Amino acid sequence: MSSLANVLDNPTTGGKTYYDSENDKPKVRMPEGEYPANIIKVDCIERMIRGKYKALIYNLSYRLVSEDTSELDAVDFDGNDCKVKTGVFGGREFKGQGVFKFLQPNGSDNFEPNPRGNRAYSNLCEVIGLSAKIVEIDINGKKTKVRELNDLKEKDILGKPVMACIKKGKPWKSDLDGKTRFPLTVKWLKKWEGTPLSDDEIFNDKKDDLPF
């Protein structure tokens, strides 16, 4: 085995050694902000809420796209303030907080209505292009104009383009280092005129992640 002195005195590779500082940019912490994305997964469960309401809860997952729609204030891993384009984070996937659709009791149902709790569900319908129609109904003996919301199915939602408003979620404490972290999650949606994903684009990307 060569000694350290021999290795340094007689290098096995020739030429000069360089450092390219222009292309050695510190990695950037992903900031909160609005990111273009597609919905790539839809889960739905039914739950009683506060013992008196019943709701369908839509749990959605999103994949960010590589298109640059804006530039955000960020901090790199050296602690320096910088700017970063949204497309840098294309391909990352995030979960969103549940979207509640409060159900309307009918006949012998023993739960209460909660139509004012459907703000996020109404917004989801608007964002994916299924606008509600305005109807007039009787509420406590008074004629009231309300939005009649669509009954969303998976096929209505999957692959749709959205602008995902990403912010810090609930903190969690790591068992490894004891540090408290704040994961990023999708808190709200806005309209984005992007390109919908086909089933192949959604599920083929998933297959590429499999280890076999």
Side-chain angles (χ1 to χ4, degrees):
M1 180 180 294
S2 300
S3 67
L4 177 60
N6 288 338
V7 171
L8 295 177
D9 291 340
N10 301 288
T12 57
T13 57
K16 297 291 186 181
T17 301
Y18 301 96
Y19 169 58
D20 182 4
S21 60
E22 284 300 312
N23 288 312
D24 180 22
K25 301 296 184 183
K27 291 185 177 181
V28 176
R29 300 179 189 274
M30 183 174 171
E32 297 178 321
E34 298 179 4
Y35 293 84
N38 292 92
I39 301 172
I40 59 167
K41 188 178 181 182
V42 180
D43 289 319
C44 193
I45 57 174
E46 185 177 282
R47 288 284 187 270
M48 287 297 298
I49 309 297
R50 298 177 184 173
K52 58 181 179 178
Y53 307 125
K54 182 178 284 189
L56 292 178
I57 306 171
Y58 292 77
N59 294 304
L60 309 180
S61 297
Y62 308 84
R63 182 185 301 139
L64 305 190
V65 304
S66 298
E67 184 173 334
D68 293 322
T69 55
S70 64
E71 196 171 54
L72 303 173
D73 293 325
V75 177
D76 66 30
F77 282 98
D78 288 341
N80 302 309
D81 293 335
C82 61
K83 296 283 188 180
V84 64
K85 292 183 177 180
T86 56
V88 168
F89 304 100
R92 293 195 184 186
E93 296 183 3
F94 292 87
K95 293 183 178 180
Q97 61 183 17
V99 177
F100 285 65
K101 176 191 176 184
F102 286 94
L103 304 178
Q104 191 74 11
N106 188 21
S108 61
D109 290 332
N110 59 357
F111 59 88
E112 299 178 22
N114 185 28
R116 66 180 181 179
N118 283 326
R119 178 171 176 259
Y121 183 76
S122 177
N123 180 66
L124 173 61
C125 292
E126 292 285 338
V127 165
I128 65 175
L130 294 176
S131 299
K133 64 180 180 179
I134 304 299
V135 298
E136 192 173 67
I137 64 172
D138 185 274
I139 299 180
N140 297 325
K142 181 181 178 181
K143 294 293 185 180
T144 305
K145 289 184 178 180
V146 296
R147 291 183 174 90
E148 187 176 289
L149 303 175
N150 292 274
D151 293 321
L152 296 181
K153 305 294 190 294
E154 183 183 52
K155 64 181 180 62
D156 300 320
I157 305 171
L158 204 58
K160 289 295 193 294
V162 298
M163 187 64 70
C165 303
I166 295 180
K167 295 186 176 296
K168 291 178 181 177
K170 293 181 180 179
W172 64 278
K173 192 171 184 179
S174 171
D175 292 333
L176 296 177
D177 58 17
K179 292 183 179 180
T180 299
R181 292 177 170 82
F182 295 83
L184 293 174
T185 187
V186 178
K187 293 283 191 178
W188 190 251
L189 299 175
K190 294 182 180 180
K191 278 190 176 182
W192 175 56
E193 300 298 331
T195 303
L197 292 181
S198 67
D199 287 348
D200 286 343
E201 289 174 309
I202 295 170
F203 297 113
N204 283 346
D205 283 352
K206 292 290 186 182
K207 291 176 183 177
D208 292 341
D209 294 336
L210 296 176
F212 51 82

